[in-house]
Amino acid sequence: HYIACGWFFIAWTLEDREDTWLAHYVRRGESESYKYATALHWSLTQFTPAAMEVHPRNPIERSYAVVILFFAMITFSTFISSITMQMTALRRMQSEPVRQQRILLKYFSENKISAELGHRIWSYLRENHFAFKKRTHKKDIEVFRLLPPTLMLRLNEELYVPVIKQCPFFYRYAVINLTGLSHICNTAMSENFHVTGEELFAEGKTAEKMYFLTAGHLHYQHSEVRLCADLHAVSWACEPALWLRWSHFGKLTTATTCEVFDLSLDRFRSTMPREADSMRFVVAYVKFFTEHMRKASYLGIWYSDIWMEVSDLAEVARAAKLEAFPDDNVTLSNRLSTSSSGSTPSQLAEIRLS
């Protein structure tokens, strides 16, 4: 549009001359819309291998056309190269299943795997793996290995902390020691992609991880129907395993393709910061959490891997914070009592929020 306007503007400013494209190719009396359409047609031909009857008729128009041709050559070649790169990447993605199938066939042939089993294996992989596009993970990006530890720590912090803070314990812990939580995420967290029907843990197995679901749906199967559960995004499983020697009471499988953040229990325990403030809160939380489980045992619902009563867990975390830092409560009470006289409601609200 702008090139067409420039092309028309040149002829318009030279309207007293007879050697312009407007005077030579457009009949007198034609509408302004026809003149604009002709100029737009000319501008489009500069970017494509096309031609038209309109050509420069004087040195000024010729110079303008040369400049536009250089600009169009660079723009058009860049556009074509970007399309070529995208098509090459698309073909590479589409060829990956074919390459994997060729490798599998070679493996089956060399190891004399039956055709029936080989077909079942390939059908499963085609339907549950190659049919889905998983999210790019850190381990897929080789250049991340070149990052210094400080940048990798920041990357893991921004990747994992917003998810892990959905659990009330880690939310309160972040308020007390965000640096410590970032260190935990940097050393104990990992991201994984799971296809439909994949088993994350089985009944009777010793717990090794806590799971945070970020995308997809998980199904928890338990021998008691009332303890079965469906987990959706921003859910977690196996929190008791953080504090207890825990064996799974059910089986957790993927109902769809899922993206899951795993928290390694061994690494969590070995990297948990030992600062006094942090440890006071952790000890208090474990105390109230086990009491919460003991109350649940009276209802016969404690033997489950899914503890997702957010309001109850938030109350447990709040009680642990109050016990770990009683001085904060006294300070807050003093501030409220000294500020209540002569303070506006909005000022009192600010004190309470703080």
Side-chain angles (χ1 to χ4, degrees):
H1 167 74
Y2 293 111
I3 293 173
C5 291
W7 181 243
F8 178 79
F9 178 76
I10 291 174
W12 179 74
T13 56
L14 302 175
E15 60 180 352
D16 57 331
R17 298 173 54 167
E18 294 296 328
D19 59 342
T20 65
W21 71 268
L22 197 58
H24 190 271
Y25 295 107
V26 179
R27 296 191 302 268
R28 292 185 181 277
E30 290 288 356
S31 63
E32 297 298 323
S33 60
Y34 177 80
K35 295 176 183 178
Y36 170 75
T38 304
L40 182 62
H41 186 184
W42 178 86
S43 68
L44 290 174
T45 60
Q46 310 310 301
F47 290 84
T48 59
M52 68 175 302
E53 73 279 6
V54 176
H55 301 289
R57 301 294 299 175
N58 58 64
I60 298 177
E61 291 178 353
R62 184 70 64 183
S63 300
Y64 182 78
V66 170
V67 172
I68 296 303
L69 278 174
F70 273 110
F71 174 74
M73 180 176 61
I74 296 173
T75 304
F76 187 70
S77 60
T78 303
F79 176 70
I80 293 297
S81 63
S82 65
I83 292 180
T84 303
M85 291 174 59
Q86 293 295 329
M87 292 299 296
T88 302
L90 181 60
R91 278 195 294 268
R92 188 182 299 115
M93 291 173 54
Q94 293 176 339
S95 64
E96 181 63 17
V98 177
R99 189 178 72 87
Q100 292 293 336
Q101 184 180 25
R102 187 166 56 250
I103 295 173
L104 278 175
L105 289 175
K106 181 180 179 181
Y107 177 83
F108 293 155
S109 175
E110 291 176 350
N111 293 277
K112 297 180 174 57
I113 305 298
S114 65
E116 186 270 338
L117 177 58
H119 177 72
R120 288 180 58 190
I121 292 175
W122 173 246
S123 296
Y124 175 83
L125 290 174
R126 185 181 63 246
E127 295 173 4
N128 295 282
H129 180 70
F130 294 113
F132 300 95
K133 175 69 172 70
K134 73 173 185 177
R135 189 174 64 188
T136 304
H137 292 166
K138 287 189 307 178
K139 61 185 178 184
D140 301 326
I141 305 176
E142 295 291 336
V143 292
F144 277 166
R145 299 179 181 179
L146 305 178
L147 292 179
T150 52
L151 283 181
M152 206 64 202
L153 176 66
R154 290 294 306 276
L155 176 63
N156 288 327
E157 177 183 332
E158 295 196 7
L159 176 64
Y160 295 124
V161 168
V163 174
I164 198 174
K165 279 174 60 178
Q166 300 299 319
C167 177
F169 165 75
F170 289 109
Y171 177 82
R172 290 284 183 177
Y173 190 88
V175 175
I176 299 169
N177 189 359
L178 180 59
T179 302
L181 184 61
S182 300
H183 183 60
I184 292 172
C185 290
N186 188 51
T187 56
M189 295 288 291
S190 61
E191 51 183 344
N192 290 289
F193 172 79
H194 300 277
V195 299
T196 305
E198 190 172 344
E199 184 177 275
L200 273 67
F201 59 75
E203 182 179 358
K205 297 293 184 179
T206 302
E208 299 177 350
K209 299 176 181 178
M210 182 179 176
Y211 301 91
F212 294 85
L213 177 63
T214 60
H217 301 281
L218 296 172
H219 179 64
Y220 179 67
Q221 296 174 278
H222 197 278
S223 56
E224 291 193 23
V225 177
R226 62 175 180 156
L227 296 181
C228 295
D230 291 316
L231 278 66
H232 306 284
V234 198
S235 301
W236 62 90
C238 304
E239 182 178 352
L242 292 176
W243 322 118
L244 306 169
R245 294 180 181 177
W246 191 261
S247 295
H248 295 298
F249 289 94
K251 180 171 69 173
L252 187 66
T253 57
T254 56
T256 63
T257 55
C258 296
E259 295 283 349
V260 179
F261 288 171
D262 301 339
L263 174 62
S264 170
L265 302 180
D266 290 339
R267 292 181 181 179
F268 169 76
R269 292 166 186 146
S270 62
T271 60
M272 169 70 76
R274 307 303 184 195
E275 289 89 348
D277 289 348
S278 303
M279 289 307 299
R280 284 206 309 272
F281 171 71
V282 171
V283 171
Y285 183 85
V286 174
K287 168 189 171 183
F288 285 106
F289 185 84
T290 52
E291 289 180 0
H292 176 61
M293 291 187 66
R294 192 175 300 112
K295 294 176 183 177
S297 67
Y298 300 140
L299 303 175
I301 59 173
W302 72 271
Y303 48 93
S304 170
D305 299 284
I306 310 301
W307 290 78
M308 277 289 297
E309 308 88 349
V310 178
S311 59
D312 293 344
L313 295 177
E315 181 60 27
V316 169
R318 190 188 71 85
K321 197 265 184 184
L322 294 178
E323 178 168 305
F325 303 100
D327 293 341
D328 292 351
N329 307 323
V330 174
T331 303
L332 179 59
S333 300
N334 292 336
R335 289 176 62 192
L336 287 173
S337 60
T338 57
S339 303
S340 59
S341 58
S343 299
T344 64
S346 60
Q347 290 172 333
L348 290 177
E350 291 179 1
I351 294 173
R352 291 187 175 90
L353 288 174
S354 65

